Every structure is written in structure tokens, then in C-alpha cells.
Amino acid sequence: MSANSSGSATYSGTLDGSNAKRGLWSSRLAFILAATGSAVGLGNIWKFPYVTGENGGGAFVLIYLVCIAVVGIPIMMAEVMIGRRGGHSPVNSLRLIAAREGLKPVWRMIGAVGVLAGFLILSFYSVIGGWAVSYVGTAASGQFAGQSAEAIGAIFSGLLSDPAALLLWHSVFLALVMVVVARGVRSGLERAVSILMPALFVLLLIVVGYAMTSGSFGRAAAFLFQPDFSKLTTSGILVALGHAFFTLSLGMAVMMAYGSYLPKNISIAKTSITVSVIDTGVALLAGLAIFLIVFANGLEPGAGPGLIFQTLPLAFGQMPMGSLFGTLFFVLLIFAAWTSGISLLEPIVEWLEEQKGMNRTVSTLGAGVVCWALGIVSILSLNLWADFAPLGFVPMLEDKTIFDLLDFFTANILLPLGGFLVAVFAGWVMSRQALENELSLSAPMFRLWYVTIRFITPVAVAAVFLYNLA
Ligand code: PHE
């Protein structure tokens, strides 16, 4: 049996007994930091506030929270569990578990879909990470100081209309990610997150602390927490579900890959809940800080993807020591995006290493370069191809550029689909004994999770999908 209860750095407890030299996270904290590093990213600080703004606030936030609890946490547990049980890259973990349960290897496709989705996401994620890198310099050099909303809007549109600059910053961001991934789990991933995550929390608190002094707490809190269901649309519900997957890094094998490095003696339920709670807390804090500033300055909450790049610099430009706070904020954004980018690259690198026998540096370089090239498509659709809507004939997608489509398809379709399949695999395909064994929960807790992952989670995901199609 695969159970090996030692928390030592290496073990041979994988399903096929192979790969005895895989590194493992050194502790529960290391895993929590890494998984939180993956979960907390642009999704929390950039995307959550703007999709909330676009979808009318409170009601959207409420649906999002329900999705986290009913869909997100059970699936995160399932993914980590599958990864640890399989002890390999996602594709092979699924194949091994399926083989052990006497099933067809086709189940490994869940892992393959996930790895592909992660790859697509990283290609545009890195472009946005690049915006953050570029904004550190802009903030530090005092360019926001005393500027009007128009001037600040012009800085942002100037960046988006400059393919060469975007390419440069995208390259810098992806290089940062690749350097860490190439160094491996212990000396790369683990070391990076244990420095970056605590720094991120401190920076976030500073920004929230400042925003609190702006005097618009009532309006910001009402916008975020007072549900007005007349503002919620059907597609808003799909966006909330998709965002729950995106923000918890689910549906794309990331948590499986991270779970595969998790020592056997660590509780999957406790760690998954901790990670989800921290992730949600960071999103709400970031949202609060951003809407405090938005309302205090009479700005527009529904400004879209440019929200934090246009509204916040305006506030930084007016506050005392704004250049310093602005610089700190964008450094924070880079840290958050960096640890997530690392987790997006990890599954494919893990797979290349194991499947193709490449060493880590070569597999990181190979995957990174392909991803970099793919990012160019996103870059061009921000400027030269800005009017090109390849699926213009499909309702709902009329005005979406390639960049928008990548975001839409990955977050709202591929991730929920991947998550749905994970739920089915864990809930209906794996033997109950294997699940009990790996999760080691008390009987009532196990039953709660089991009922949720078998019935509630898949039905909720399917319902949102069908509702949107209709
Ligand atoms: N969860 C990350 C964020 O919120 C993005 C991400 C998605 C990372 C999927 C890994 C996998 O920004």
C-alpha cells in the first residue's frame, strides 16, 4: 500500500513505488505557503475587484462565496488527494490511480486538459504580470503624482498600445517564473514562497490601512457586501463560478501537482480549508482597499481589466508618499502573480521531467519558451489586433479579442470542466476505501465531503453551465 507515514523529504510511497527521489515539501507550512502562493494572485488583486465591479457588487460576491464553499473547497481537497495518492505529475497520478482501480487510462485526460489550461492561462497571465512589473517603475519615478484621471488613463493606454514594451515586461515576468521553477521544489518553489508570501501580507495590510483613511468605508463596504440581486445576471453567475476556480487554482492540475509533493502525514482537509480561507480573505481585503479608493475619488467601479491600473494610480498620485505606496502596491502585485505563475508552470515541467526524462532546467526552458511565444498573441490583441474578434459570430463573444477569449475559455469553461471531472473521478470512480485512506477524516466529516463531491459539486457546476446555455 502506498501509505508511508513519515514526513521525511523523500519517500517511495507512490502507487508504483517509483520515483523514490522526488523532493517533498519540508512541512505543512511550506505546503500552505506554496498553495496559498498559487491561489493568491492576480485573480485576487486584479481580477476579483474588476469582475465584482462589472457585475454589480454584493450579490456577485455572495454567489462567489457560495461557490468557494460548495464547489471550491471540496474540489481542492479532491485535487490534493489525487496528487498525493498518485505521487506523480497530474497526468501520471491519474493514470496510476485509474489503473489501480481497474479503470481505463483515459482518465489521465483530466490531467492533460488541466495542464493545457494552465499553459494557456500562463501565456496571458504573464502579460498582465508584465503590466505590474512595468508599473513598479512608473510609480517609483513619481509619474502618478498630481496627475488627472485622463493623464493616468493615458499612461495605461500608452502601455497597452506598445507591443514592444509589453513584450519586454512579459519576458521579464516569465523569466522570473522560470528561474524559480528551474530550481526545483525545495530550493526554488519553497524558498521563494516563504519569502514572498509574508512580504505580500505585510504590503497588503499597509495598502488597506491607507485606504481605510480615505473615509468612504460605508460605501465600499455596502458595494461589496450588500447584495442587490437585480444587478446579477446569468452570465454573472458563470463568472462567479469560473472565478472561484481561477482564484483557488482549481481545475487545472496545479493542486494535484502540489499535492504530489505533500508528505503523507499532513491533513488534506485542514490545509485545503486554510488555503481557501486565506485566499478569500485576501480577495475581500484587496477588494475593500480598491473600492475604498474608487469611491473616495468618485471613480467608476465597473472600469474593467484596467481598474487597478487606472484607479489606484490616481489615488497614489494624490496621497502623501504616494510614489512609495504605489511602488509597494505594484511590488505586492508582482509577488502575488509570481508565486501563481510558478504554480502554473510547475505541472507541465513536472510532467516533462517525468515523462520525457528531461532534466528540470531543460523542461522549464522548453515549456517557458513555448508559453512566451503564445503570450505574443495576447500582446498583439491588446493593440494591433484589438479590433479582431475571431468568434464575432457567436452571441456573448461578439466583441472579445483573442486575449479576452483566452481568459473567458480558460476561466469560465476549461476550469469548471476540469473541476467537474475531478469531482466525478474522486466521487464516483475512486474507491471509497482509497478516499478514506488518503483523507483520513472523521466519519461525519468524510460523509459531508463525500456527499458534496458526489452530488452537490457536480450538480452545481453542471447547472450553472446549462443555465448559461439556455
Ligand atoms: N489562482 C491564481 C490567481 O488568483 C491564478 C491561477 C489559476 C494560478 C490557476 C494557478 C492556477 O491569480
Side-chain angles (χ1 to χ4, degrees):
M1 201 52 241
S2 65
N4 172 341
S5 58
S6 87
S8 63
T10 59
Y11 76 117
S12 53
T14 58
L15 279 184
D16 64 353
S18 71
N19 240 11
K21 284 199 295 292
R22 289 165 57 88
L24 295 184
W25 305 114
S26 63
S27 64
R28 178 173 126 88
L29 181 66
F31 174 78
I32 290 185
L33 285 174
T36 311
S38 169
V40 173
L42 293 171
N44 305 61
I45 302 170
W46 164 72
K47 195 169 179 189
F48 173 72
Y50 97 73
V51 290
T52 299
E54 283 182 339
N55 288 284
F60 175 85
V61 174
L62 190 67
I63 301 289
Y64 157 79
L65 292 176
V66 170
C67 290
I68 295 279
V70 173
V71 177
I73 294 178
I75 292 187
M76 186 183 294
M77 288 171 60
E79 285 200 18
V80 176
M81 185 264 306
I82 291 171
R84 182 167 77 182
R85 182 140 193 97
H88 283 74
S89 72
V91 179
N92 282 322
S93 287
L94 285 157
R95 183 177 56 79
L96 285 167
I97 295 174
R100 191 169 191 100
E101 308 274 354
L103 297 157
K104 298 233 162 59
V106 61
W107 285 102
R108 68 170 178 232
M109 291 312 291
I110 306 177
V113 170
V115 171
L116 175 75
F119 203 62
L120 292 176
I121 292 185
L122 182 58
S123 77
F124 71 84
Y125 201 83
S126 165
V127 173
I128 305 162
W131 299 355
V133 179
S134 132
Y135 264 54
V136 170
T138 317
S141 59
Q143 290 180 50
F144 300 138
Q147 293 292 351
S148 66
E150 290 73 42
I152 284 182
I155 296 180
F156 186 62
S157 41
L159 174 66
L160 294 201
S161 65
D162 183 349
L166 290 172
L167 185 63
L168 170 70
W169 300 121
H170 160 60
S171 311
V172 171
F173 182 82
L174 204 54
L176 287 174
V177 168
M178 287 164 65
V179 164
V180 174
V181 173
R183 298 179 66 99
V185 171
R186 280 280 181 103
S187 44
L189 276 62
E190 190 169 321
R191 180 143 14 118
V193 295
S194 42
I195 301 168
L196 297 179
M197 294 313 290
L200 184 142
F201 293 126
V202 173
L203 291 178
L204 182 64
L205 290 180
I206 295 177
V207 173
V208 174
Y210 169 78
M212 288 291 195
T213 64
S214 66
S216 55
F217 185 81
R219 284 188 63 199
F223 182 75
L224 271 180
F225 301 117
Q226 235 168 50
D228 173 357
F229 283 95
S230 68
K231 292 200 184 130
L232 191 68
T233 60
T234 330
S235 79
I237 299 176
L238 180 64
V239 173
L241 177 76
H243 187 64
F245 280 99
F246 186 84
T247 191
L248 293 180
S249 306
L250 298 177
M252 62 171 69
V254 166
M255 291 299 167
M256 280 185 214
Y258 276 20
S260 75
Y261 303 118
L262 187 66
K264 291 280 177 192
N265 56 349
I266 291 175
S267 157
I268 289 177
K270 267 194 232 149
T271 41
S272 302
I273 293 172
T274 309
V275 171
S276 306
V277 168
I278 300 178
D279 183 75
T280 307
V282 171
L284 294 176
L285 271 182
L288 188 63
I290 284 153
F291 289 115
L292 280 165
I293 295 176
V294 164
F295 290 119
N297 292 281
L299 301 166
E300 181 44 55
L307 184 68
I308 63 169
F309 292 94
Q310 289 173 287
T311 52
L312 290 186
L314 188 59
F316 294 134
Q318 291 163 0
M319 65 173 80
M321 300 208 300
S323 300
L324 177 67
F325 280 117
T327 310
L328 282 180
F329 176 81
F330 288 107
V331 168
L332 173 161
L333 194 60
I334 294 176
F335 285 4
W338 192 2
T339 50
S340 301
I342 292 168
S343 75
L344 284 164
L345 193 55
E346 175 60 31
I348 186 141
V349 168
E350 188 184 22
W351 179 76
L352 285 174
E353 244 187 325
E354 161 183 301
Q355 193 74 15
K356 307 281 172 210
M358 295 181 183
N359 76 31
R360 199 154 174 108
T361 314
V362 175
S363 42
T364 306
L365 259 179
V369 167
V370 177
C371 197
W372 175 83
L374 208 59
I376 297 176
V377 176
S378 293
I379 289 180
L380 291 177
S381 67
L382 294 171
N383 35 69
L384 299 180
W385 299 348
D387 297 324
F388 176 44
L391 298 182
F393 50 89
V394 183
M396 243 170 106
L397 306 177
E398 291 86 13
D399 48 4
K400 291 206 181 325
T401 62
I402 301 180
F403 182 97
D404 301 333
L405 288 172
L406 274 173
D407 178 25
F408 185 85
F409 273 119
T410 50
N412 298 348
I413 297 184
L414 282 181
L415 301 191
L417 181 69
F420 177 83
L421 293 174
V422 165
V424 171
F425 185 78
W428 296 91
V429 175
M430 287 180 70
S431 69
R432 186 174 172 141
Q433 199 208 343
L435 301 174
E436 282 177 349
N437 214 315
E438 200 64 50
L439 291 173
S440 18
L441 290 168
S442 66
M445 286 311 288
F446 180 80
R447 218 170 302 126
L448 178 65
W449 174 82
Y450 201 46
V451 168
T452 312
I453 201 87
R454 280 168 77 97
F455 301 102
I456 304 182
T457 309
V459 169
V461 175
V464 173
F465 259 120
L466 296 179
Y467 194 49
N468 259 274
L469 282 182

